[in-house]
Amino acid sequence: MFKPHVTVACVVHAAGKFLVVEETINGKALWNQPAGHLEADETLVQAAERELWEETGIRSTPQSFLRMHQWIAPDRTPFLRFCFVIELEQPLPTEPQDDDIDRCLWLTAEQILEAENLRSPLVAETIRCYQQPERYPLSLVASFNWPL
């Protein structure tokens, strides 16, 4: 049976800047959106909220669903990545709660798209998707008969 990893990511935008998290992996500082795995007993939106809080210290709820990417990482790990949009009025201070996050940065789309230290090509692809006008209601990924 095929069992891909289910992950969530948040494109956090404020005043023309995007929030990225920096983490050191194999000695290299890499950039990603606030993102992580779906945990047991949580909805996709709850996972996005949790990951945002853990990686940035910001508490916010996604306003819309952006895209779902089916992706196979270079190590052949399959992923389903659900990406959400959070629009803020202004960049907020950050305080990562996750020890794996070194720092957070507010960057322009161009800085992200031109960066050579992205954790995966999905980081840039998600910014390109954000630049398109399509946004979808959160009900598109709603839970059904959720008991919790």
Side-chain angles (χ1 to χ4, degrees), residues 36-147:
H37 285 84
L38 175 68
E39 299 291 341
D41 302 329
E42 69 183 356
T43 66
L44 291 166
V45 172
Q46 289 169 337
E49 292 170 339
R50 177 186 50 76
E51 288 293 345
L52 178 69
W53 163 249
E54 288 177 0
E55 295 194 355
T56 71
I58 295 173
R59 290 195 188 274
S60 188
T61 298
Q63 291 99 6
S64 60
F65 178 65
L66 183 63
R67 187 80 45 100
M68 190 278 291
H69 288 101
Q70 184 173 356
W71 183 62
I72 298 177
D75 69 358
R76 305 300 297 160
T77 302
F79 286 91
L80 295 177
R81 188 180 198 243
F82 293 81
C83 189
F84 298 90
V85 174
I86 296 175
E87 293 285 351
L88 302 174
E89 289 186 28
Q90 62 187 12
L92 297 176
T94 58
E95 187 177 334
Q97 306 299 303
D98 183 335
D99 291 339
D100 291 337
I101 304 301
D102 299 327
R103 64 182 177 152
C104 301
L105 302 162
W106 287 96
L107 303 171
T108 65
E110 293 75 25
Q111 288 173 297
I112 297 167
L113 293 172
E114 295 172 5
E116 295 184 10
N117 63 326
L118 302 180
R119 178 148 183 202
S120 83
L122 279 179
V123 178
E125 179 60 19
T126 302
I127 295 299
R128 285 189 286 274
C129 291
Y130 176 89
Q131 292 174 325
Q132 302 302 310
E134 293 87 15
R135 302 284 186 280
Y136 304 96
L138 295 178
S139 61
L140 189 67
V141 292
S143 56
F144 174 74
N145 279 347
W146 193 249

